[in-house]
Amino acid sequence: FRDPLLYEVVTGRPCFNLDSWLLDQAANEATLHRQARQSDVGVIDGVMGLFDGLDGTNDSGSTAQMAKWLGVPVVLVIDCWAMGRSVAALTFDEDVKISGLILNKVGSKAHAQWLLSALQSAGCAIPILGSLPK
């Protein structure tokens, strides 16, 4: 969890909430358009995992649902510490526009190569924007 006040300090602009639990798609779209109208870039910080929401059966209440509702690209930051080939499974929903991946908590250069190989062998064409060591 990141404090919205931290975002306000860093950006010098007010932070606002989008919420698929309490608001419908139209209300979230209106909020985004109203608040971001004079901005070059908007950053939407998701909660939990990209696909985690109300339950395990669909994307209700998830960051993926919000991204689909708003039609915005996603830069997915993946905690890769205890992961190898499973990294490719996180790109399964083609309706979520994942425009880049950041591999976080990568254990070594060999681990990074293993992750890249897993993504390539799964046919993932999403650009890797970088990797960060543990």
Side-chain angles (χ1 to χ4, degrees):
F1 172 76
R2 280 146 311 272
D3 188 332
L5 294 177
L6 173 64
Y7 290 130
E8 290 186 15
V9 169
V10 170
T11 65
R13 297 191 52 136
C15 185
F16 59 93
N17 287 330
L18 300 171
D19 191 328
S20 61
W21 292 74
L22 299 175
L23 303 171
D24 64 11
Q25 181 175 350
N28 281 286
E29 288 172 339
T31 299
L32 178 65
H33 291 235
R34 182 177 60 252
Q35 297 295 339
R37 133 178 93 228
Q38 295 181 12
S39 300
D40 294 326
V41 174
V43 175
I44 301 171
D45 183 11
V47 297
M48 299 172 53
L50 177 61
F51 302 104
D52 300 321
L54 178 64
D55 60 36
T57 63
N58 61 52
D59 65 4
S60 294
S62 70
T63 302
Q65 179 188 42
M66 186 64 69
K68 287 191 249 184
W69 278 3
L70 301 176
V72 297
V74 172
V75 172
L76 182 59
V77 179
I78 304 171
D79 180 346
C80 296
W81 177 239
M83 189 177 289
R85 193 166 172 236
S86 297
V87 70
L90 295 174
T91 64
F92 76 93
D93 188 339
E94 293 178 6
D95 292 331
V96 178
K97 300 174 193 170
I98 300 177
S99 59
L101 300 174
I102 297 175
L103 307 177
N104 192 25
K105 297 184 184 176
V106 176
S108 65
K109 287 183 181 181
H111 185 207
Q113 186 55 52
W114 187 14
L115 297 165
L116 293 173
S117 295
L119 289 162
Q120 290 170 346
S121 70
C124 179
I126 300 169
I128 307 299
L129 302 177
S131 64
L132 302 167
K134 180 176 184 287

